[in-house]
Amino acid sequence: MVDQPMLAQLHFGREDAERDVTEGLLLCGGFLSNAAYRGALSGRKMLIIGRKGSGKSAICMQLMSDGEGGHRGGKVLVTPDEAAGEEIRRFELQGLPGDSAKALIWRYVFAVHAARHLVDHAKGAHDGGHKTDSVKALGRFLKQNGEAPGGGGRLVERLAQGARGLQTSLALEAFGVKASVDLAQSPSEGARAARQLEIVEQGVARAFEDLGCDGVVHPPLLLMVDQLEQVWSVEPDSNSMVIGLLLAAKHAASLYGRSVRFLLFLHADIYDSLSFGEGDKFHGDELRIAWTEQALKDLALARARASAGEELTEERLWKELFPQTVGGEEITSHVFGRCLPRPRDAIQFLNLCQEKAWLDHERDRITEADVAQAGRQFSEWKLKDLTSEYLVAHPFLRNLFPLFQNTGYVVTRAALTRRFEAAAETLHHDFPAYANALTLPGIIDVLHGAGFLGVRRGNDVVYAGDDGLPVQPHETEFQVHPCFRAALGATTAFDLRRYEPQFADARIASGNYSPGASGSSSLNRDDRLLIQVARSCHSILAQVGRAVALTRDVRDEITLQVSRVLGEANRIPPGAAASAGVDVDDYLLTTAQYFTGLAAELRDCGLEESTGVGDVARRMEEEARRLRRSAGGSYGSSGDSSGY
């Protein structure tokens, strides 16, 4: 059997952590320990917050594993499905606001999971512990309420049973309480449910204490909740479901102390949308997942080595299997600069590059063309994925993309204002419930928060997650993230009219021209006029170079177009204009017209005068006038009318 080349073996893993564990197995060798994981493992943080695909579930799966890096104590993972989510959303108690009622049902879920753990744990880890009165009481309680260990049952069924018990009465005889008698005097349904739950929680806390499970002798029970975004909507009862979870976890963490550790994995947009009175008490528990380009490079190498072997070095990966540069840009900057800063995007892009090279073409290394082709497909994926990611919170997002199609990826507030005003009536008609958000400041905030638009600050372009500062009213220049540019057809910085060559390229390239036969070494009239074009180009380029406050991409785009004019002028050999089919007078006037149009575009683009764009436009207009004077004043004259 012939060994496959390393590229055939190369794989960066699955996009979702669950399949990575059960199928890809890359979490075993390809998991990268980061600040969020270390904070979760240490127990210092309770809320792990990140965007979709940022690695929340990967951390959760790693902690759930029994191998190296997994949590050493008992562990429970709660992942509500839609049915379970609906059960929580519909849970109400007379006499309690929605947040507080939903906190009780979450507290019940935590208490039951802790009780089930204690009953099992006492048998195996504590000699005779299962005979302790408090543990036996928990066993009886679980059995009487249909929650006995090993009983299984879906979360939704246990939630439904717990909800009925809290709304009516739980079987509390195991704790010496007859609910129908002892709780009859409760002033409301909510008060009665809270009192019942307190009895259960006190029973759980007593069992932890009796067994000495304080996180010192052995690790604590780890109780995690993940994938809430699967059951969340923008409705108030969904927010109450999440707020109730936060309140319940905070309460239970205080009640059970070091015996139980709680970890809640929350989508950043869900968490940031919450507003409740005790929200300020959770800041110390927050840990937001952030990925740098270097961290993504480290992750890519770890996963590549997990698939292709430990002998795969960083140098071999990025200099042999991948091309060293793409379009003159260093490969890792090109790839990771076109991903949103999260593992899922990087994994998808890198796997796509491998597939284009190996599956499509059976190459043993990835070429620039493979990366470019993968980049176009990846960009289309990500634009669709962004729509899906924010479909619940911002269903209008997809309808904003046409504002950025087939234009430059640098956009000013003034230009965006014109585009939005043209589309506003349709947007308001199609999404009347979101009219308050569909304003210019509103859509800028949404697009920036989603990572679609970056804002220029100084010489940098800042995207969501780079800092916590939202877009400010005085900020006027934005950029579409490189991830989405190819899909939108926004591949140049500015929507400047491209310069088109004016003469017969083929004749010049082939050498089929006949220089003047006079033998004179002096420049003829056509040559002097073409030199004039070159001088004008150099003058404009010098002015562009002095406009240091211009965004680099905008400066590069202007330089590119002017350099095309200069390059064409320089390609005409001395004395060969006529034989190459160039009408120099017409050529100067056409070039002058191009510079005038380019200046008008720059003036209309909305960039601040302080960037120097106005000086560049004025220089273009001056050189256009100079070229027109040169052409008009040169007919029948051998004198130099260059104006220099």
Side-chain angles (χ1 to χ4, degrees):
M1 179 178 178
V2 179
D3 290 337
Q4 286 187 318
M6 182 170 284
L7 184 62
Q9 303 171 46
L10 183 66
H11 191 245
F12 294 91
R14 298 294 182 182
E15 296 99 329
D16 56 296
E18 294 77 15
R19 289 183 67 197
D20 235 341
V21 171
T22 59
E23 179 182 336
L25 300 179
L26 282 176
L27 279 180
C28 298
F31 179 80
L32 183 69
S33 173
N34 56 14
Y37 168 73
R38 293 190 293 272
L41 186 64
S42 69
R44 295 183 179 179
K45 299 295 181 179
M46 185 174 73
L47 307 180
I48 308 300
I49 303 165
R51 285 191 61 172
K52 183 178 181 181
S54 61
K56 300 185 301 298
S57 292
I59 295 172
C60 183
M61 292 295 101
Q62 183 71 7
L63 291 170
M64 282 294 293
S65 71
D66 294 324
E68 183 179 353
H71 178 67
R72 296 303 184 190
K75 43 210 172 193
V76 174
L77 174 60
V78 178
T79 55
D81 57 14
E82 184 56 45
E86 181 64 19
E87 192 67 44
I88 298 173
R89 288 193 295 265
R90 289 193 293 106
F91 182 72
E92 296 177 346
L93 289 169
Q94 180 267 321
L96 286 181
D99 298 353
S100 299
K102 290 168 179 58
L104 291 187
I105 192 66
W106 280 115
R107 282 168 55 186
Y108 176 81
V109 170
F110 295 156
V112 167
H113 276 301
R116 289 162 64 108
H117 162 76
L118 278 166
V119 172
D120 283 338
H121 173 70
K123 295 177 183 177
H126 295 271
D127 186 24
H130 62 289
K131 298 179 181 179
T132 304
D133 289 344
S134 56
V135 175
K136 290 193 292 183
L138 288 182
R140 291 195 299 273
F141 165 77
L142 292 171
K143 185 176 181 179
Q144 291 167 359
N145 290 275
E147 301 280 8
R154 296 171 59 221
L155 175 62
V156 63
E157 294 162 356
R158 298 204 302 274
L159 279 168
Q161 189 162 302
R164 286 192 298 272
L166 290 174
Q167 290 171 331
T168 55
S169 63
L170 293 168
L172 301 175
E173 288 82 359
F175 303 115
V177 176
K178 294 187 181 297
S180 59
V181 176
D182 297 351
L183 301 176
Q185 303 305 315
S186 298
S188 69
E189 184 180 63
R192 183 174 66 251
R195 177 60 186 140
Q196 290 189 94
L197 188 54
E198 287 171 5
I199 293 169
V200 177
E201 290 175 329
Q202 288 166 5
V204 173
R206 189 177 305 112
F208 274 123
E209 183 179 354
D210 290 347
L211 292 176
C213 297
D214 57 0
V216 176
V217 176
H218 52 72
L221 169 66
L222 180 61
L223 227 165
M224 299 184 287
V225 180
D226 191 21
Q227 298 186 14
L228 272 180
E229 64 270 16
Q230 303 296 329
V231 298
W232 181 80
S233 70
V234 293
E235 299 302 320
D237 56 1
S238 277
N239 282 343
S240 288
M241 175 182 66
V242 182
I243 294 170
L245 171 63
L246 296 174
L247 296 174
K250 175 75 81 172
H251 170 87
S254 176
L255 176 66
Y256 301 133
R258 293 182 297 181
S259 300
V260 185
R261 183 182 299 167
F262 292 88
L263 275 178
L264 314 180
F265 297 88
L266 298 176
H267 197 294
D269 296 301
I270 295 176
Y271 183 73
D272 292 338
S273 71
L274 303 178
S275 178
F276 60 110
E278 297 187 52
D280 60 330
K281 297 180 180 179
F282 290 87
H283 294 320
D285 291 310
E286 298 174 7
L287 201 160
R288 292 180 180 263
I289 300 177
W291 288 89
T292 63
E293 181 177 314
Q294 183 58 51
L296 290 173
K297 284 175 61 177
D298 294 341
L299 175 70
L301 179 61
R303 286 174 165 256
R305 296 179 72 183
S307 65
E310 291 296 317
E311 66 272 17
L312 179 60
T313 63
E314 181 176 10
E315 182 171 357
R316 189 173 184 186
L317 176 63
W318 299 121
K319 293 186 178 180
E320 294 182 23
L321 295 184
F322 278 85
Q324 294 188 37
T325 61
V326 176
E329 186 179 17
E330 195 269 330
I331 179 62
T332 54
S333 296
H334 180 90
V335 170
F336 298 118
R338 282 159 179 75
C339 300
L340 294 181
R342 51 190 180 184
R344 183 174 297 168
D345 284 23
I347 290 168
Q348 289 177 338
F349 196 176
L350 293 169
N351 279 336
L352 195 54
C353 291
Q354 187 270 352
E355 291 167 9
K356 294 298 179 187
W358 173 248
L359 295 183
D360 292 359
H361 302 291
E362 293 188 88
R363 288 193 266 265
D364 59 3
R365 69 186 307 274
I366 299 165
T367 66
E368 282 196 48
D370 295 325
V371 177
Q373 186 179 2
R376 289 189 290 272
Q377 183 174 333
F378 175 76
S379 182
E380 293 172 1
W381 283 356
K382 293 296 100 181
L383 198 62
K384 292 179 181 177
D385 290 347
L386 195 70
T387 299
S388 301
E389 182 177 352
Y390 290 93
L391 187 61
V392 174
H394 308 306
F396 52 81
L397 189 60
R398 180 181 180 182
N399 297 65
L400 300 180
F401 296 154
L403 302 180
F404 305 90
Q405 280 185 309
N406 301 318
T407 185
Y409 57 77
V410 175
V411 60
T412 62
R413 191 181 288 267
L416 191 52
T417 298
R418 292 192 295 271
R419 299 177 199 174
F420 176 71
E421 287 175 348
E425 183 177 352
T426 300
L427 287 168
H428 289 162
H429 175 270
D430 292 345
F431 301 96
Y434 295 87
N436 291 337
L438 289 171
T439 62
L440 183 65
I443 67 165
I444 289 175
D445 286 344
V446 167
L447 292 168
H448 178 66
F452 180 87
L453 276 188
V455 57
R456 185 184 179 188
R457 290 180 179 147
N459 292 325
D460 297 323
V461 177
V462 179
Y463 293 92
D466 293 343
D467 62 33
L469 186 66
V471 176
Q472 302 299 297
H474 67 273
E475 293 174 322
T476 59
E477 187 179 327
F478 311 98
Q479 286 194 20
V480 176
H481 194 284
C483 181
F484 310 108
R485 293 174 187 173
L488 292 167
T491 54
T492 59
F494 235 62
D495 189 22
L496 298 178
R497 182 165 61 91
R498 293 176 60 83
Y499 178 76
E500 300 299 335
Q502 302 297 319
F503 63 87
D505 283 347
R507 296 181 64 184
I508 296 297
S510 65
N512 293 327
Y513 59 87
S514 301
S518 66
S520 172
S521 61
S522 61
L523 294 174
N524 63 29
R525 171 180 172 276
D526 284 352
D527 292 339
R528 288 196 302 273
L529 292 180
L530 291 172
I531 289 173
Q532 184 71 11
V533 174
R535 287 178 175 175
S536 292
C537 290
H538 283 298
S539 177
I540 295 170
L541 290 173
Q543 188 67 53
V544 174
R546 290 193 291 273
V548 294
L550 269 178
T551 299
R552 185 189 66 183
D553 293 352
V554 174
R555 192 163 60 244
D556 290 348
E557 182 65 24
I558 300 172
T559 299
L560 173 65
Q561 300 307 329
V562 176
S563 295
R564 286 168 61 88
V565 181
L566 177 61
E568 182 186 70
N570 287 337
R571 289 182 63 194
I572 305 176
S579 60
V582 179
D583 183 330
V584 174
D585 296 305
D586 182 62
Y587 179 72
L588 254 70
L589 294 173
T590 301
T591 302
Q593 183 179 6
Y594 176 73
F595 284 155
T596 300
L598 210 59
E601 288 184 83
L602 292 177
R603 290 188 182 282
D604 195 44
C605 69
L607 289 172
E608 296 288 335
E609 184 72 21
S610 60
T611 63
V613 69
D615 292 334
V616 173
R618 282 188 286 275
R619 179 53 57 91
M620 287 181 175
E621 291 166 341
E622 290 170 4
E623 295 303 331
R625 288 193 293 270
R626 198 185 305 274
L627 291 174
R628 290 191 184 96
R629 287 198 303 270
S630 297
S634 298
Y635 292 114
S637 170
S638 61
D640 182 4
S641 59
S642 67
Y644 282 91

